[in-house]
Amino acid sequence: MQRKVKLYLINKLVEYDPENKTLANHITGRTIHLQLPANLCFLYLVTHPGEIISQNQLMVVGWGERNDVTTPNTFYQAILTLRNALAEVGLPRDTVKTISRRGLTLSEATQVEVFTPTAEPVIASEDAAIAEGTAMKKPAWLIIATAALFLIALINGVILYKHHQNMPFSHYIPLSMGSTTNACQLFYAPNEHMQDHYLRLLKNYPSLCAGNRYIFLIGYSKTERIAAFVCNNDARHDAAALCTTHYFWAHEQ
């Protein structure tokens, strides 16, 4: 009997094929191939939703018998590469979330549907059946809204593809702290409007900016949170840089 391969539809947008180690955007056609350890770690997170998986457990999953000689830096780089791949196919970078001192988990906002290559996802099939029977009855506003959403997703996919960078944080620009400190180097994504929050964050948590670290700041306006990637070297140019992730509320006083 032929074994059925399970595929996963993430956020009704990206098809994840763990056997072929690919992520594919249904709208743009953009396909990313994952390295084996990143693929195995992501599959484990997808199949254990709601669970926080420790770093040690994921190293066993991703590297098998070699996990005892795998360095934390190798693990962090694999997860960083995974997050970059998710962003390239149109998913949020925090689809894979870091829970401080506990491990990684799949974001609670992530929707995952399981299907096989011989059958469409259940929800998609239901939508197709409804569409076939009631296509002529759909109101004009629904057709316009659907077309607008499709166009927005297509534009975002093209922008992500054109602005793809080989190195993480390569497009980040320096954030000036004035004369308050020279203990670290700060960077943030251009065109963001959260610089004041960043400066307040560094003032409230001065220990982040120590030991000549490189700190890359990302603001999530919808969740009002800030992610700080603290690296021992410049991750814009050094692929071996060791980075840790910290999350904060943007409006902390």
Side-chain angles (χ1 to χ4, degrees), residues 9-14 42 45-46 48-51 86 90-99 105-113 220 222-223 225:
L9 185 63
I10 303 175
N11 290 356
K12 303 184 186 300
L13 176 67
V14 173
F42 187 53
L45 292 169
V46 166
H48 292 78
E51 298 183 27
L86 294 171
L91 294 174
R93 289 182 60 86
D94 62 348
T95 296
V96 174
K97 292 177 56 178
T98 297
I99 306 301
T105 186
L106 201 66
S107 167
E108 61 273 8
T110 303
Q111 300 177 12
V112 178
E113 302 171 44
Y220 299 100
K222 290 185 178 179
T223 59
R225 299 191 73 185

PDB file of all heavy atoms in Angstrom, residues 9-14 42 45-46 48-51 86 90-99 105-113 220 222-223 225:
ATOM      1  N   LEU A   9      -1.037  23.197   5.006  1.00  0.00           N
ATOM      2  CA  LEU A   9      -1.379  24.516   4.486  1.00  0.00           C
ATOM      3  C   LEU A   9      -1.368  25.494   5.653  1.00  0.00           C
ATOM      4  O   LEU A   9      -2.145  25.362   6.597  1.00  0.00           O
ATOM      5  CB  LEU A   9      -2.753  24.508   3.820  1.00  0.00           C
ATOM      6  CG  LEU A   9      -3.168  25.808   3.125  1.00  0.00           C
ATOM      7  CD1 LEU A   9      -2.227  26.111   1.964  1.00  0.00           C
ATOM      8  CD2 LEU A   9      -4.605  25.726   2.632  1.00  0.00           C
ATOM      9  N   ILE A  10      -0.472  26.473   5.587  1.00  0.00           N
ATOM     10  CA  ILE A  10      -0.254  27.404   6.696  1.00  0.00           C
ATOM     11  C   ILE A  10      -0.892  28.742   6.360  1.00  0.00           C
ATOM     12  O   ILE A  10      -0.591  29.348   5.331  1.00  0.00           O
ATOM     13  CB  ILE A  10       1.244  27.579   6.981  1.00  0.00           C
ATOM     14  CG1 ILE A  10       1.870  26.196   7.276  1.00  0.00           C
ATOM     15  CG2 ILE A  10       1.478  28.535   8.141  1.00  0.00           C
ATOM     16  CD1 ILE A  10       3.362  26.229   7.459  1.00  0.00           C
ATOM     17  N   ASN A  11      -1.784  29.188   7.246  1.00  0.00           N
ATOM     18  CA  ASN A  11      -2.497  30.472   7.097  1.00  0.00           C
ATOM     19  C   ASN A  11      -3.204  30.575   5.748  1.00  0.00           C
ATOM     20  O   ASN A  11      -3.330  31.666   5.188  1.00  0.00           O
ATOM     21  CB  ASN A  11      -1.536  31.647   7.284  1.00  0.00           C
ATOM     22  CG  ASN A  11      -1.065  31.782   8.720  1.00  0.00           C
ATOM     23  OD1 ASN A  11      -1.494  31.051   9.602  1.00  0.00           O
ATOM     24  ND2 ASN A  11      -0.173  32.719   8.974  1.00  0.00           N
ATOM     25  N   LYS A  12      -3.637  29.433   5.216  1.00  0.00           N
ATOM     26  CA  LYS A  12      -4.358  29.374   3.937  1.00  0.00           C
ATOM     27  C   LYS A  12      -3.557  30.009   2.794  1.00  0.00           C
ATOM     28  O   LYS A  12      -4.128  30.414   1.780  1.00  0.00           O
ATOM     29  CB  LYS A  12      -5.730  30.064   4.048  1.00  0.00           C
ATOM     30  CG  LYS A  12      -6.633  29.489   5.130  1.00  0.00           C
ATOM     31  CD  LYS A  12      -7.986  30.151   5.093  1.00  0.00           C
ATOM     32  CE  LYS A  12      -8.856  29.690   6.264  1.00  0.00           C
ATOM     33  NZ  LYS A  12      -9.088  28.250   6.261  1.00  0.00           N
ATOM     34  N   LEU A  13      -2.242  30.087   2.950  1.00  0.00           N
ATOM     35  CA  LEU A  13      -1.407  30.782   1.968  1.00  0.00           C
ATOM     36  C   LEU A  13      -0.206  29.969   1.510  1.00  0.00           C
ATOM     37  O   LEU A  13       0.105  29.939   0.319  1.00  0.00           O
ATOM     38  CB  LEU A  13      -0.925  32.113   2.562  1.00  0.00           C
ATOM     39  CG  LEU A  13       0.040  32.947   1.717  1.00  0.00           C
ATOM     40  CD1 LEU A  13      -0.683  33.460   0.465  1.00  0.00           C
ATOM     41  CD2 LEU A  13       0.597  34.109   2.529  1.00  0.00           C
ATOM     42  N   VAL A  14       0.462  29.300   2.446  1.00  0.00           N
ATOM     43  CA  VAL A  14       1.734  28.635   2.132  1.00  0.00           C
ATOM     44  C   VAL A  14       1.595  27.127   2.321  1.00  0.00           C
ATOM     45  O   VAL A  14       1.125  26.660   3.360  1.00  0.00           O
ATOM     46  CB  VAL A  14       2.861  29.180   3.033  1.00  0.00           C
ATOM     47  CG1 VAL A  14       4.139  28.367   2.841  1.00  0.00           C
ATOM     48  CG2 VAL A  14       3.122  30.649   2.724  1.00  0.00           C
ATOM     49  N   PHE A  42      11.091  22.551  12.061  1.00  0.00           N
ATOM     50  CA  PHE A  42       9.812  23.181  11.734  1.00  0.00           C
ATOM     51  C   PHE A  42       8.689  22.151  11.713  1.00  0.00           C
ATOM     52  O   PHE A  42       7.584  22.405  12.209  1.00  0.00           O
ATOM     53  CB  PHE A  42       9.912  23.889  10.390  1.00  0.00           C
ATOM     54  CG  PHE A  42       8.701  24.709  10.055  1.00  0.00           C
ATOM     55  CD1 PHE A  42       8.224  25.660  10.948  1.00  0.00           C
ATOM     56  CD2 PHE A  42       8.033  24.548   8.848  1.00  0.00           C
ATOM     57  CE1 PHE A  42       7.099  26.431  10.647  1.00  0.00           C
ATOM     58  CE2 PHE A  42       6.921  25.305   8.540  1.00  0.00           C
ATOM     59  CZ  PHE A  42       6.456  26.251   9.444  1.00  0.00           C
ATOM     60  N   LEU A  45       7.603  21.434  15.223  1.00  0.00           N
ATOM     61  CA  LEU A  45       6.788  22.515  15.784  1.00  0.00           C
ATOM     62  C   LEU A  45       5.378  22.510  15.195  1.00  0.00           C
ATOM     63  O   LEU A  45       4.393  22.726  15.909  1.00  0.00           O
ATOM     64  CB  LEU A  45       7.463  23.864  15.516  1.00  0.00           C
ATOM     65  CG  LEU A  45       8.777  24.114  16.266  1.00  0.00           C
ATOM     66  CD1 LEU A  45       9.468  25.353  15.725  1.00  0.00           C
ATOM     67  CD2 LEU A  45       8.540  24.255  17.763  1.00  0.00           C
ATOM     68  N   VAL A  46       5.279  22.257  13.882  1.00  0.00           N
ATOM     69  CA  VAL A  46       3.975  22.240  13.223  1.00  0.00           C
ATOM     70  C   VAL A  46       3.104  21.106  13.752  1.00  0.00           C
ATOM     71  O   VAL A  46       1.888  21.250  13.906  1.00  0.00           O
ATOM     72  CB  VAL A  46       4.163  22.117  11.691  1.00  0.00           C
ATOM     73  CG1 VAL A  46       2.862  21.757  10.997  1.00  0.00           C
ATOM     74  CG2 VAL A  46       4.714  23.413  11.125  1.00  0.00           C
ATOM     75  N   HIS A  48       3.300  19.804  16.728  1.00  0.00           N
ATOM     76  CA  HIS A  48       3.105  19.930  18.180  1.00  0.00           C
ATOM     77  C   HIS A  48       2.650  21.349  18.507  1.00  0.00           C
ATOM     78  O   HIS A  48       3.304  22.085  19.247  1.00  0.00           O
ATOM     79  CB  HIS A  48       4.408  19.598  18.927  1.00  0.00           C
ATOM     80  CG  HIS A  48       4.814  18.159  18.828  1.00  0.00           C
ATOM     81  ND1 HIS A  48       5.419  17.656  17.694  1.00  0.00           N
ATOM     82  CD2 HIS A  48       4.698  17.127  19.699  1.00  0.00           C
ATOM     83  CE1 HIS A  48       5.670  16.360  17.880  1.00  0.00           C
ATOM     84  NE2 HIS A  48       5.233  16.012  19.081  1.00  0.00           N
ATOM     85  N   PRO A  49       1.509  21.764  17.925  1.00  0.00           N
ATOM     86  CA  PRO A  49       1.029  23.138  18.156  1.00  0.00           C
ATOM     87  C   PRO A  49       0.690  23.365  19.621  1.00  0.00           C
ATOM     88  O   PRO A  49       0.192  22.467  20.308  1.00  0.00           O
ATOM     89  CB  PRO A  49      -0.213  23.223  17.265  1.00  0.00           C
ATOM     90  CG  PRO A  49      -0.683  21.807  17.134  1.00  0.00           C
ATOM     91  CD  PRO A  49       0.569  20.974  17.126  1.00  0.00           C
ATOM     92  N   GLY A  50       0.985  24.568  20.090  1.00  0.00           N
ATOM     93  CA  GLY A  50       0.667  24.906  21.472  1.00  0.00           C
ATOM     94  C   GLY A  50       1.697  24.445  22.477  1.00  0.00           C
ATOM     95  O   GLY A  50       1.625  24.809  23.647  1.00  0.00           O
ATOM     96  N   GLU A  51       2.680  23.658  22.040  1.00  0.00           N
ATOM     97  CA  GLU A  51       3.717  23.173  22.945  1.00  0.00           C
ATOM     98  C   GLU A  51       4.978  24.026  22.811  1.00  0.00           C
ATOM     99  O   GLU A  51       5.308  24.490  21.725  1.00  0.00           O
ATOM    100  CB  GLU A  51       4.068  21.709  22.647  1.00  0.00           C
ATOM    101  CG  GLU A  51       2.913  20.742  22.843  1.00  0.00           C
ATOM    102  CD  GLU A  51       3.346  19.302  22.603  1.00  0.00           C
ATOM    103  OE1 GLU A  51       4.549  19.011  22.792  1.00  0.00           O
ATOM    104  OE2 GLU A  51       2.500  18.491  22.215  1.00  0.00           O
ATOM    105  N   LEU A  86      10.438  31.697   6.033  1.00  0.00           N
ATOM    106  CA  LEU A  86       9.017  31.964   6.270  1.00  0.00           C
ATOM    107  C   LEU A  86       8.644  33.357   5.778  1.00  0.00           C
ATOM    108  O   LEU A  86       7.585  33.548   5.158  1.00  0.00           O
ATOM    109  CB  LEU A  86       8.706  31.829   7.763  1.00  0.00           C
ATOM    110  CG  LEU A  86       8.844  30.421   8.359  1.00  0.00           C
ATOM    111  CD1 LEU A  86       8.715  30.459   9.878  1.00  0.00           C
ATOM    112  CD2 LEU A  86       7.800  29.476   7.766  1.00  0.00           C
ATOM    113  N   GLY A  90       5.942  34.894   2.570  1.00  0.00           N
ATOM    114  CA  GLY A  90       4.786  35.687   2.964  1.00  0.00           C
ATOM    115  C   GLY A  90       4.218  35.422   4.334  1.00  0.00           C
ATOM    116  O   GLY A  90       3.149  35.939   4.671  1.00  0.00           O
ATOM    117  N   LEU A  91       4.909  34.627   5.169  1.00  0.00           N
ATOM    118  CA  LEU A  91       4.447  34.360   6.528  1.00  0.00           C
ATOM    119  C   LEU A  91       5.184  35.270   7.512  1.00  0.00           C
ATOM    120  O   LEU A  91       6.294  35.731   7.236  1.00  0.00           O
ATOM    121  CB  LEU A  91       4.696  32.893   6.905  1.00  0.00           C
ATOM    122  CG  LEU A  91       3.883  31.860   6.122  1.00  0.00           C
ATOM    123  CD1 LEU A  91       4.335  30.449   6.497  1.00  0.00           C
ATOM    124  CD2 LEU A  91       2.392  32.023   6.378  1.00  0.00           C
ATOM    125  N   PRO A  92       4.596  35.543   8.675  1.00  0.00           N
ATOM    126  CA  PRO A  92       5.288  36.371   9.675  1.00  0.00           C
ATOM    127  C   PRO A  92       6.563  35.696  10.155  1.00  0.00           C
ATOM    128  O   PRO A  92       6.625  34.463  10.283  1.00  0.00           O
ATOM    129  CB  PRO A  92       4.266  36.486  10.819  1.00  0.00           C
ATOM    130  CG  PRO A  92       2.951  36.164  10.197  1.00  0.00           C
ATOM    131  CD  PRO A  92       3.234  35.173   9.107  1.00  0.00           C
ATOM    132  N   ARG A  93       7.601  36.512  10.429  1.00  0.00           N
ATOM    133  CA  ARG A  93       8.847  35.951  10.955  1.00  0.00           C
ATOM    134  C   ARG A  93       8.617  35.286  12.303  1.00  0.00           C
ATOM    135  O   ARG A  93       9.297  34.308  12.653  1.00  0.00           O
ATOM    136  CB  ARG A  93       9.900  37.053  11.103  1.00  0.00           C
ATOM    137  CG  ARG A  93      10.450  37.579   9.799  1.00  0.00           C
ATOM    138  CD  ARG A  93      11.523  38.632  10.072  1.00  0.00           C
ATOM    139  NE  ARG A  93      12.620  38.073  10.827  1.00  0.00           N
ATOM    140  CZ  ARG A  93      13.664  37.443  10.280  1.00  0.00           C
ATOM    141  NH1 ARG A  93      13.743  37.321   8.976  1.00  0.00           N
ATOM    142  NH2 ARG A  93      14.640  36.970  11.033  1.00  0.00           N
ATOM    143  N   ASP A  94       7.643  35.819  13.097  1.00  0.00           N
ATOM    144  CA  ASP A  94       7.412  35.235  14.415  1.00  0.00           C
ATOM    145  C   ASP A  94       6.413  34.085  14.363  1.00  0.00           C
ATOM    146  O   ASP A  94       5.810  33.742  15.372  1.00  0.00           O
ATOM    147  CB  ASP A  94       6.958  36.296  15.419  1.00  0.00           C
ATOM    148  CG  ASP A  94       5.633  36.946  15.047  1.00  0.00           C
ATOM    149  OD1 ASP A  94       5.173  36.732  13.898  1.00  0.00           O
ATOM    150  OD2 ASP A  94       5.055  37.659  15.887  1.00  0.00           O
ATOM    151  N   THR A  95       6.239  33.466  13.167  1.00  0.00           N
ATOM    152  CA  THR A  95       5.500  32.202  13.108  1.00  0.00           C
ATOM    153  C   THR A  95       6.155  31.198  14.055  1.00  0.00           C
ATOM    154  O   THR A  95       5.490  30.416  14.718  1.00  0.00           O
ATOM    155  CB  THR A  95       5.482  31.659  11.666  1.00  0.00           C
ATOM    156  OG1 THR A  95       4.756  32.587  10.845  1.00  0.00           O
ATOM    157  CG2 THR A  95       4.815  30.297  11.591  1.00  0.00           C
ATOM    158  N   VAL A  96       7.487  31.232  14.096  1.00  0.00           N
ATOM    159  CA  VAL A  96       8.255  30.456  15.084  1.00  0.00           C
ATOM    160  C   VAL A  96       8.685  31.432  16.177  1.00  0.00           C
ATOM    161  O   VAL A  96       9.511  32.305  15.945  1.00  0.00           O
ATOM    162  CB  VAL A  96       9.479  29.780  14.444  1.00  0.00           C
ATOM    163  CG1 VAL A  96      10.331  29.098  15.507  1.00  0.00           C
ATOM    164  CG2 VAL A  96       9.025  28.766  13.401  1.00  0.00           C
ATOM    165  N   LYS A  97       8.091  31.302  17.353  1.00  0.00           N
ATOM    166  CA  LYS A  97       8.319  32.238  18.453  1.00  0.00           C
ATOM    167  C   LYS A  97       9.342  31.682  19.441  1.00  0.00           C
ATOM    168  O   LYS A  97       9.385  30.474  19.685  1.00  0.00           O
ATOM    169  CB  LYS A  97       7.014  32.524  19.206  1.00  0.00           C
ATOM    170  CG  LYS A  97       5.985  33.295  18.413  1.00  0.00           C
ATOM    171  CD  LYS A  97       4.703  33.485  19.196  1.00  0.00           C
ATOM    172  CE  LYS A  97       4.941  34.167  20.525  1.00  0.00           C
ATOM    173  NZ  LYS A  97       3.663  34.399  21.256  1.00  0.00           N
ATOM    174  N   THR A  98      10.143  32.574  19.985  1.00  0.00           N
ATOM    175  CA  THR A  98      11.066  32.212  21.053  1.00  0.00           C
ATOM    176  C   THR A  98      10.440  32.570  22.400  1.00  0.00           C
ATOM    177  O   THR A  98      10.039  33.713  22.606  1.00  0.00           O
ATOM    178  CB  THR A  98      12.405  32.962  20.903  1.00  0.00           C
ATOM    179  OG1 THR A  98      13.026  32.574  19.667  1.00  0.00           O
ATOM    180  CG2 THR A  98      13.345  32.611  22.062  1.00  0.00           C
ATOM    181  N   ILE A  99      10.326  31.592  23.271  1.00  0.00           N
ATOM    182  CA  ILE A  99       9.861  31.834  24.635  1.00  0.00           C
ATOM    183  C   ILE A  99      11.105  31.856  25.522  1.00  0.00           C
ATOM    184  O   ILE A  99      11.789  30.834  25.663  1.00  0.00           O
ATOM    185  CB  ILE A  99       8.881  30.743  25.102  1.00  0.00           C
ATOM    186  CG1 ILE A  99       7.724  30.602  24.095  1.00  0.00           C
ATOM    187  CG2 ILE A  99       8.351  31.084  26.486  1.00  0.00           C
ATOM    188  CD1 ILE A  99       6.918  31.848  23.883  1.00  0.00           C
ATOM    189  N   THR A 105       8.138  27.768  20.009  1.00  0.00           N
ATOM    190  CA  THR A 105       6.781  27.276  19.806  1.00  0.00           C
ATOM    191  C   THR A 105       6.223  27.892  18.540  1.00  0.00           C
ATOM    192  O   THR A 105       6.714  28.915  18.053  1.00  0.00           O
ATOM    193  CB  THR A 105       5.873  27.623  21.007  1.00  0.00           C
ATOM    194  OG1 THR A 105       4.591  27.008  20.827  1.00  0.00           O
ATOM    195  CG2 THR A 105       5.685  29.123  21.136  1.00  0.00           C
ATOM    196  N   LEU A 106       5.185  27.259  17.993  1.00  0.00           N
ATOM    197  CA  LEU A 106       4.493  27.817  16.843  1.00  0.00           C
ATOM    198  C   LEU A 106       3.546  28.903  17.338  1.00  0.00           C
ATOM    199  O   LEU A 106       2.831  28.716  18.321  1.00  0.00           O
ATOM    200  CB  LEU A 106       3.701  26.712  16.122  1.00  0.00           C
ATOM    201  CG  LEU A 106       3.328  26.970  14.670  1.00  0.00           C
ATOM    202  CD1 LEU A 106       4.571  27.035  13.800  1.00  0.00           C
ATOM    203  CD2 LEU A 106       2.405  25.879  14.161  1.00  0.00           C
ATOM    204  N   SER A 107       3.561  30.058  16.686  1.00  0.00           N
ATOM    205  CA  SER A 107       2.717  31.182  17.091  1.00  0.00           C
ATOM    206  C   SER A 107       1.264  30.759  17.193  1.00  0.00           C
ATOM    207  O   SER A 107       0.752  29.999  16.356  1.00  0.00           O
ATOM    208  CB  SER A 107       2.854  32.326  16.085  1.00  0.00           C
ATOM    209  OG  SER A 107       1.844  33.294  16.274  1.00  0.00           O
ATOM    210  N   GLU A 108       0.578  31.262  18.243  1.00  0.00           N
ATOM    211  CA  GLU A 108      -0.829  30.910  18.426  1.00  0.00           C
ATOM    212  C   GLU A 108      -1.711  31.466  17.310  1.00  0.00           C
ATOM    213  O   GLU A 108      -2.840  30.994  17.113  1.00  0.00           O
ATOM    214  CB  GLU A 108      -1.327  31.427  19.787  1.00  0.00           C
ATOM    215  CG  GLU A 108      -1.249  32.936  19.959  1.00  0.00           C
ATOM    216  CD  GLU A 108       0.104  33.401  20.468  1.00  0.00           C
ATOM    217  OE1 GLU A 108       1.028  32.574  20.537  1.00  0.00           O
ATOM    218  OE2 GLU A 108       0.228  34.590  20.814  1.00  0.00           O
ATOM    219  N   ALA A 109      -1.222  32.446  16.561  1.00  0.00           N
ATOM    220  CA  ALA A 109      -1.996  33.014  15.453  1.00  0.00           C
ATOM    221  C   ALA A 109      -1.842  32.200  14.164  1.00  0.00           C
ATOM    222  O   ALA A 109      -2.498  32.497  13.164  1.00  0.00           O
ATOM    223  CB  ALA A 109      -1.571  34.453  15.196  1.00  0.00           C
ATOM    224  N   THR A 110      -0.989  31.194  14.180  1.00  0.00           N
ATOM    225  CA  THR A 110      -0.733  30.402  12.978  1.00  0.00           C
ATOM    226  C   THR A 110      -1.799  29.324  12.796  1.00  0.00           C
ATOM    227  O   THR A 110      -2.078  28.555  13.708  1.00  0.00           O
ATOM    228  CB  THR A 110       0.659  29.738  13.057  1.00  0.00           C
ATOM    229  OG1 THR A 110       1.651  30.742  13.252  1.00  0.00           O
ATOM    230  CG2 THR A 110       0.952  28.968  11.779  1.00  0.00           C
ATOM    231  N   GLN A 111      -2.396  29.270  11.599  1.00  0.00           N
ATOM    232  CA  GLN A 111      -3.394  28.256  11.260  1.00  0.00           C
ATOM    233  C   GLN A 111      -2.747  27.190  10.386  1.00  0.00           C
ATOM    234  O   GLN A 111      -2.115  27.504   9.391  1.00  0.00           O
ATOM    235  CB  GLN A 111      -4.571  28.884  10.521  1.00  0.00           C
ATOM    236  CG  GLN A 111      -5.298  29.970  11.314  1.00  0.00           C
ATOM    237  CD  GLN A 111      -6.419  30.603  10.504  1.00  0.00           C
ATOM    238  OE1 GLN A 111      -6.794  30.100   9.444  1.00  0.00           O
ATOM    239  NE2 GLN A 111      -6.951  31.708  11.002  1.00  0.00           N
ATOM    240  N   VAL A 112      -2.920  25.936  10.767  1.00  0.00           N
ATOM    241  CA  VAL A 112      -2.328  24.826  10.018  1.00  0.00           C
ATOM    242  C   VAL A 112      -3.416  23.821   9.651  1.00  0.00           C
ATOM    243  O   VAL A 112      -4.181  23.388  10.514  1.00  0.00           O
ATOM    244  CB  VAL A 112      -1.228  24.117  10.845  1.00  0.00           C
ATOM    245  CG1 VAL A 112      -0.657  22.938  10.052  1.00  0.00           C
ATOM    246  CG2 VAL A 112      -0.123  25.094  11.216  1.00  0.00           C
ATOM    247  N   GLU A 113      -3.510  23.505   8.361  1.00  0.00           N
ATOM    248  CA  GLU A 113      -4.433  22.474   7.874  1.00  0.00           C
ATOM    249  C   GLU A 113      -3.615  21.341   7.260  1.00  0.00           C
ATOM    250  O   GLU A 113      -2.638  21.588   6.561  1.00  0.00           O
ATOM    251  CB  GLU A 113      -5.384  23.061   6.834  1.00  0.00           C
ATOM    252  CG  GLU A 113      -6.215  24.231   7.341  1.00  0.00           C
ATOM    253  CD  GLU A 113      -6.961  24.911   6.212  1.00  0.00           C
ATOM    254  OE1 GLU A 113      -7.532  24.196   5.375  1.00  0.00           O
ATOM    255  OE2 GLU A 113      -6.944  26.157   6.161  1.00  0.00           O
ATOM    256  N   TYR A 220       6.735  45.438  16.063  1.00  0.00           N
ATOM    257  CA  TYR A 220       5.510  44.839  15.553  1.00  0.00           C
ATOM    258  C   TYR A 220       4.354  45.726  16.008  1.00  0.00           C
ATOM    259  O   TYR A 220       3.857  45.597  17.129  1.00  0.00           O
ATOM    260  CB  TYR A 220       5.328  43.413  16.069  1.00  0.00           C
ATOM    261  CG  TYR A 220       6.445  42.484  15.662  1.00  0.00           C
ATOM    262  CD1 TYR A 220       7.479  42.164  16.542  1.00  0.00           C
ATOM    263  CD2 TYR A 220       6.479  41.940  14.387  1.00  0.00           C
ATOM    264  CE1 TYR A 220       8.514  41.323  16.161  1.00  0.00           C
ATOM    265  CE2 TYR A 220       7.505  41.088  13.997  1.00  0.00           C
ATOM    266  CZ  TYR A 220       8.515  40.785  14.889  1.00  0.00           C
ATOM    267  OH  TYR A 220       9.528  39.940  14.505  1.00  0.00           O
ATOM    268  N   LYS A 222       1.193  45.921  15.216  1.00  0.00           N
ATOM    269  CA  LYS A 222      -0.103  45.307  15.487  1.00  0.00           C
ATOM    270  C   LYS A 222      -0.161  44.718  16.882  1.00  0.00           C
ATOM    271  O   LYS A 222      -1.190  44.768  17.555  1.00  0.00           O
ATOM    272  CB  LYS A 222      -0.401  44.222  14.440  1.00  0.00           C
ATOM    273  CG  LYS A 222      -0.675  44.782  13.051  1.00  0.00           C
ATOM    274  CD  LYS A 222      -1.072  43.680  12.090  1.00  0.00           C
ATOM    275  CE  LYS A 222      -1.390  44.245  10.717  1.00  0.00           C
ATOM    276  NZ  LYS A 222      -1.768  43.170   9.760  1.00  0.00           N
ATOM    277  N   THR A 223       0.923  44.123  17.334  1.00  0.00           N
ATOM    278  CA  THR A 223       0.951  43.523  18.667  1.00  0.00           C
ATOM    279  C   THR A 223       1.587  44.435  19.691  1.00  0.00           C
ATOM    280  O   THR A 223       1.640  44.095  20.875  1.00  0.00           O
ATOM    281  CB  THR A 223       1.736  42.191  18.634  1.00  0.00           C
ATOM    282  OG1 THR A 223       3.072  42.445  18.175  1.00  0.00           O
ATOM    283  CG2 THR A 223       1.059  41.202  17.697  1.00  0.00           C
ATOM    284  N   ARG A 225       4.664  45.136  20.192  1.00  0.00           N
ATOM    285  CA  ARG A 225       5.813  44.497  20.816  1.00  0.00           C
ATOM    286  C   ARG A 225       7.071  44.826  20.013  1.00  0.00           C
ATOM    287  O   ARG A 225       7.013  45.178  18.841  1.00  0.00           O
ATOM    288  CB  ARG A 225       5.627  42.979  20.914  1.00  0.00           C
ATOM    289  CG  ARG A 225       4.427  42.563  21.740  1.00  0.00           C
ATOM    290  CD  ARG A 225       4.434  41.085  22.020  1.00  0.00           C
ATOM    291  NE  ARG A 225       5.434  40.724  23.004  1.00  0.00           N
ATOM    292  CZ  ARG A 225       5.710  39.468  23.362  1.00  0.00           C
ATOM    293  NH1 ARG A 225       5.071  38.472  22.807  1.00  0.00           N
ATOM    294  NH2 ARG A 225       6.613  39.211  24.263  1.00  0.00           N
TER     295      ARG A 225
END
